[in-house]
Amino acid sequence: MEKILVVGLGPGDLAQLPFGVYQLLKKGLPIYLRTKLHPVVENLKSEGLMFEDFDEVYEANEQFETVYEKIVGDLLKEATISKEDIIYAVPGHPMVAEKSVQLLLENTAGIVVEIKGGQSFLDDFFTAVKVDPVEGFQLLDGLDLDQNAVQMGQHVIVMQIFNEYIASDVKLTLQEIYPDDHQVALVHSAGSEAEQIDWLPLYEMDRMEGVHNLTSLYVPPLALDDRAKSFQTVQTYMDEIGGENGDIWLLEQTHETLIPYLKEETAELISAIENEDIDNIIEELGDVLMQVMYQTNYGERTGYFNLEDVLETLNHKLRRRHPHVFDGVKVETVEELDALWQKIKAEEKRNLT
C-alpha cells in the first residue's frame, strides 16, 4: 500500500505553480486531478504530463458532497491497488477551502496521506484588491454562505462564485445585511496574466455569464454606523452608553428603577401586536430589547453578571429544550411536544437542587 500525495496547482497559470510541486508532478507518478478545468493543466499537458480527472463525477452528481465522497472513495481504491505513490492535485492550496482534501484526511482507511504544498489564491487576491489581511478578514464558501456568520466589520472574501446562479444566491444572502449599493469586487484569476477585477454595486454582482472557476467576491468592511443590522453594533453602542463616560441617566438606574420602563415598553409591544401594526411591532420589539440591554448593563456595572452570561444561559436553554429540532427526537403532535417540554423542565429542576 502506497501513499496519496496531495498537491495544489496554485491559483492560476504556470507562473503561480510552486517549483516543488512542479518537480513532484514531473516525477512520472500517476496523477489524479479533482478537475482539469484549471489554467495550469494545459501548460502541463504541453510538457507531456498525463492525468486522470474527476470531472465526470461532477457531471453525474448534483450534490457537491456526493461528488467529494465519490472522489475520495476512488482515490482510496487506487491507492490500495497501486504499487507506487499516487498524486492527487487540486486547485490552489490543498488546505485552503478544499473539502475533498478534508474528507480524504478524515477517511484515510489506513492509507498514508501527505500534504505536499501549493499556493493559495489568497496572497494574489489581497494584492489585487489592495488589502492587508492583518486588518482582519473572513474566507467564506459561496456554496454554503450563512449571513449569520458574516462579520461586516471585516474584509470578506466569498470564494467559489462559479456562475450567475451561485452569484445570485450569494447576492441575496448578503443583501440581508449589506446595503444594496455597497461596492464589491468580483476578482477573476487573481495574480495571473488573465486577472480581472470588476467593481460594482452589490445588487449587480450576479450579472455574469458563463463558468468562472477562478472567481471570488470581495466585500469591503462597513463602518460601525453602517452595520445597523448587526447585534454586535448594539453591543458596541451599549458599551459606550453604559460606560463610565456614558449616559448619566442610565448610570443612575437600577434593576428596580428600570421596571416601569420595561412594563411600559412591553405594554406598547402588546398593543402593536393586537393592532397588527408591523412597523410599530418592529420598533417596540427594539424598545423591549433596549430595556433588556439596560438591565444587563446594570448587572455588568455592579459585577453580578453581564450580557454574555445572559446569552450563554439562553443558548444552552434553546439547545436543551429543542431535542426534536437538534437531536432527532421524534415529536408528531403538540401534545407530545408539551410532554417532552415538561420532562425537560423537570430534569432542569432536579439539576438545580
Side-chain angles (χ1 to χ4, degrees):
M1 186 180 299
E2 305 299 332
K3 300 176 183 177
I4 300 177
L5 307 175
V6 185
V7 301
L9 297 176
D13 50 33
L14 191 59
Q16 297 168 290
L17 179 67
F19 185 63
V21 172
Y22 175 76
Q23 287 182 310
L24 180 59
L25 292 171
K26 296 279 284 184
K27 280 190 173 182
L29 298 173
I31 300 172
Y32 296 86
L33 305 176
R34 178 167 67 75
T35 176
K36 63 178 180 292
L37 300 177
H38 189 283
V40 81
V41 172
E42 290 302 318
N43 298 125
L44 295 174
K45 276 185 178 180
S46 67
E47 297 191 15
L49 273 68
M50 304 293 290
F51 314 93
E52 298 286 341
D53 67 76
F54 293 105
D55 287 308
E56 289 186 359
V57 179
Y58 284 91
E59 297 170 2
N61 295 270
E62 293 184 357
Q63 300 296 324
F64 277 102
E65 193 61 35
T66 306
V67 171
Y68 299 140
E69 290 173 356
K70 171 64 173 169
I71 290 174
V72 168
D74 288 351
L75 284 171
L76 294 174
K77 180 179 178 181
E78 293 298 329
T80 301
I81 62 177
S82 179
K83 295 182 180 180
E84 58 184 340
D85 295 346
I86 66 172
I87 296 174
Y88 177 47
V90 299
H93 191 288
M95 298 304 293
V96 177
E98 186 54 63
K99 290 186 178 180
S100 68
V101 174
Q102 292 299 323
L103 191 60
L104 179 61
L105 291 171
E106 294 169 4
N107 300 274
T108 61
I111 295 173
V112 176
V113 177
E114 289 187 6
I115 307 297
K116 304 300 287 187
Q119 178 185 334
S120 97
F121 76 102
L122 288 173
D123 288 347
D124 293 315
F125 190 96
F126 288 128
T127 301
V129 296
K130 298 179 175 57
V131 164
D132 186 344
V134 77
E135 296 173 4
F137 76 95
Q138 278 189 293
L139 178 62
L140 302 174
D141 187 349
L143 301 175
D144 187 27
L145 185 61
D146 180 0
Q147 71 183 60
N148 296 315
V150 178
Q151 299 292 324
M152 291 183 286
Q154 294 188 335
H155 300 280
V156 174
I157 303 169
V158 185
M159 60 182 300
Q160 304 201 111
I161 310 295
F162 294 144
N163 53 47
E164 62 182 305
Y165 302 107
I166 297 172
S168 180
D169 287 341
V170 168
K171 179 190 76 171
L172 293 174
T173 299
L174 294 178
Q175 282 181 311
E176 293 292 327
I177 52 178
Y178 287 91
D180 289 349
D181 59 355
H182 187 50
Q183 288 292 304
V184 301
L186 285 170
V187 182
H188 313 275
S189 304
S192 73
E193 294 182 357
E195 177 181 286
Q196 179 179 336
I197 306 171
D198 297 325
W199 285 95
L200 67 174
L202 175 61
Y203 70 88
E204 290 185 354
M205 66 157 285
D206 56 347
R207 297 180 183 179
M208 53 191 294
E209 297 180 355
V211 177
H212 301 265
N213 288 328
L214 302 177
T215 294
S216 296
L217 175 71
Y218 169 59
V219 186
L222 288 175
L224 177 64
D225 288 347
D226 294 327
R227 303 198 295 271
K229 295 184 179 181
S230 169
F231 188 69
Q232 289 182 333
T233 303
V234 175
Q235 293 175 284
T236 302
Y237 286 160
M238 199 63 235
D239 286 342
E240 292 293 324
I241 294 169
E244 183 177 349
N245 299 313
D247 183 86
I248 57 175
W249 174 84
L250 181 59
L251 296 179
E252 293 179 352
Q253 304 307 308
T254 67
H255 288 314
E256 291 76 15
T257 62
L258 287 167
I259 288 175
Y261 303 101
L262 179 59
K263 288 181 177 179
E264 178 184 351
E265 299 299 352
T266 303
E268 290 178 358
L269 171 60
I270 293 171
S271 176
I273 293 172
E274 291 175 342
N275 292 327
E276 299 182 353
D277 186 340
I278 300 301
D279 290 338
N280 201 19
I281 289 173
I282 293 172
E283 182 177 357
E284 297 303 335
L285 280 170
D287 288 345
V288 170
L289 177 58
M290 182 166 60
Q291 293 303 314
V292 172
M293 300 299 289
Y294 284 173
Q295 292 283 352
T296 57
N297 178 260
Y298 179 72
E300 185 167 348
R301 283 189 281 117
T302 55
Y304 288 109
F305 66 90
N306 56 28
L307 176 61
E308 286 69 27
D309 295 324
V310 175
L311 294 175
E312 180 182 31
T313 300
L314 174 59
N315 282 323
H316 284 323
K317 182 177 289 187
L318 287 172
R319 184 65 175 78
R320 185 174 61 248
R321 291 192 177 182
H322 294 82
H324 53 296
V325 176
F326 299 109
D327 300 323
V329 174
K330 297 297 183 182
V331 174
E332 302 293 340
T333 66
V334 173
E335 290 74 19
E336 290 178 357
L337 179 58
D338 182 66
L340 176 62
W341 278 346
Q342 296 307 322
K343 180 180 178 181
I344 294 170
K345 291 176 184 177
E347 182 66 26
E348 291 173 349
K349 289 182 180 179
R350 282 195 295 271
N351 291 336
L352 290 175
T353 59

